[in-house]
Amino acid sequence: NSSLPDVADGGPIFTEKLKNWTEKNEKRIILSQIVSMYLEMLENTDKTKGHVRRISEELFTLKNSLPDGLKKLKDLMDLTKLPMNDLKIQRKAVNELFSVLQTLVETQTSAKKKRRQVQRRCKC
């Protein structure tokens, strides 16, 4: 029952997290995780109730339209576990440095191009 007084304890769960994710693609990743959590929560509810079934169906449809945030989350967690004091890891990282920097520059250039295109269209 979401009207019980303890619901307000500790503040929001999901909406507060969404504030930290500002870019559209970032937001889609976190939303993917949140939708999955709602589906997990509704998994053991009474699906004979029409509104519960409709919400579950809608969330499932939304989940399919979002990127696989779990895979991306796993990638991030794997990165945090890399032993950066390991010499082999360091050599591999240095070997990939140019490629990583090139990808970063391409990403930034692409964002600048999009901004310029939006500015050119506006004849204010």
Side-chain angles (χ1 to χ4, degrees), residues 37-72:
M37 294 176 90
Y38 276 118
L39 283 169
E40 183 180 331
M41 182 178 73
L42 291 170
E43 205 170 86
N44 298 319
T45 57
D46 184 5
K47 298 277 190 337
T48 60
K49 295 179 179 176
H51 66 284
V52 174
R53 188 176 58 252
R54 282 190 297 278
I55 290 170
S56 294
E57 290 169 357
E58 189 63 33
L59 285 171
F60 187 75
T61 302
L62 286 169
K63 183 181 184 314
N64 288 335
S65 72
L66 292 168
D68 184 9
L70 197 56
K71 169 74 172 104
K72 290 174 174 56

Side-chain angles (χ1 to χ4, degrees), residues 1-122:
N1 187 347
S2 65
S3 62
L4 293 175
D6 67 341
V7 170
D9 293 349
I13 299 172
F14 298 130
T15 52
E16 193 64 30
K17 302 283 186 244
L18 283 171
K19 291 178 184 176
N20 297 328
W21 297 68
T22 55
E23 298 293 322
K24 181 182 176 184
N25 290 333
E26 287 180 347
K27 212 167 243 201
R28 289 174 56 82
I29 292 168
I30 192 74
L31 283 168
S32 169
Q33 288 306 113
I34 291 171
V35 167
S36 294
M37 294 176 90
Y38 276 118
L39 283 169
E40 183 180 331
M41 182 178 73
L42 291 170
E43 205 170 86
N44 298 319
T45 57
D46 184 5
K47 298 277 190 337
T48 60
K49 295 179 179 176
H51 66 284
V52 174
R53 188 176 58 252
R54 282 190 297 278
I55 290 170
S56 294
E57 290 169 357
E58 189 63 33
L59 285 171
F60 187 75
T61 302
L62 286 169
K63 183 181 184 314
N64 288 335
S65 72
L66 292 168
D68 184 9
L70 197 56
K71 169 74 172 104
K72 290 174 174 56
L73 180 64
K74 184 182 177 313
D75 289 346
L76 288 171
M77 294 304 292
D78 289 347
L79 284 175
T80 63
K81 293 176 185 172
L82 283 175
M84 293 312 294
N85 57 352
D86 181 307
L87 289 177
K88 183 178 178 183
I89 296 291
Q90 290 176 357
R91 286 192 302 270
K92 288 178 133 186
V94 168
N95 189 42
E96 297 174 19
L97 180 60
F98 181 74
S99 177
V100 170
L101 291 175
Q102 189 172 17
T103 303
L104 180 61
V105 169
E106 288 170 2
T107 304
Q108 290 176 332
T109 305
S110 173
K112 286 179 184 176
K113 282 181 184 177
K114 286 181 185 176
R115 278 196 300 267
R116 271 189 254 129
Q117 288 173 351
V118 170
Q119 290 171 352
R120 284 184 193 151
R121 285 186 213 145
C122 181

